[in-house]
Amino acid sequence: MEALYMLIPIAIGVMIIVVIAFIYTVKSGQYDDLEGPAHRILMDDDDPRIPGQQVKQPHKKTAESDIEDKNR
């Protein structure tokens, strides 16, 4: 019985520390995106890994290219 007088305050103290740590991790954003890293590992990179193959980049339209097209 005398051990309970010591164990109950220790248990309450540990519980308070765990609750404070949990609140800190929630406020710091540790649990914001749980699925993002799991999906990111499955996505392919844009770089081709096979030598000799090149990725075609789409031509970006700019105001300068529009002016050049009109002058032709």
Side-chain angles (χ1 to χ4, degrees):
M1 185 71 176
E2 293 174 9
L4 287 177
Y5 294 128
M6 183 177 61
L7 290 176
I8 290 175
I10 290 174
I12 291 172
V14 169
M15 184 183 66
I16 289 171
I17 291 171
V18 168
V19 168
I20 290 171
F22 178 73
I23 291 171
Y24 173 74
T25 58
V26 168
K27 286 187 178 185
S28 67
Q30 297 252 345
Y31 306 111
D32 284 347
D33 186 15
L34 296 177
E35 293 181 10
H39 292 289
R40 211 172 299 127
I41 199 169
L42 298 175
M43 295 197 181
D44 291 336
D45 292 336
D46 291 333
D47 291 340
R49 298 292 181 205
I50 302 172
Q53 291 184 350
Q54 294 184 6
V55 177
K56 294 180 181 178
Q57 297 291 332
H59 180 68
K60 293 183 180 177
K61 281 286 206 177
T62 60
E64 295 171 357
S65 64
D66 289 339
I67 293 171
E68 290 175 3
D69 290 340
K70 288 180 184 178
N71 290 338
R72 291 185 190 175

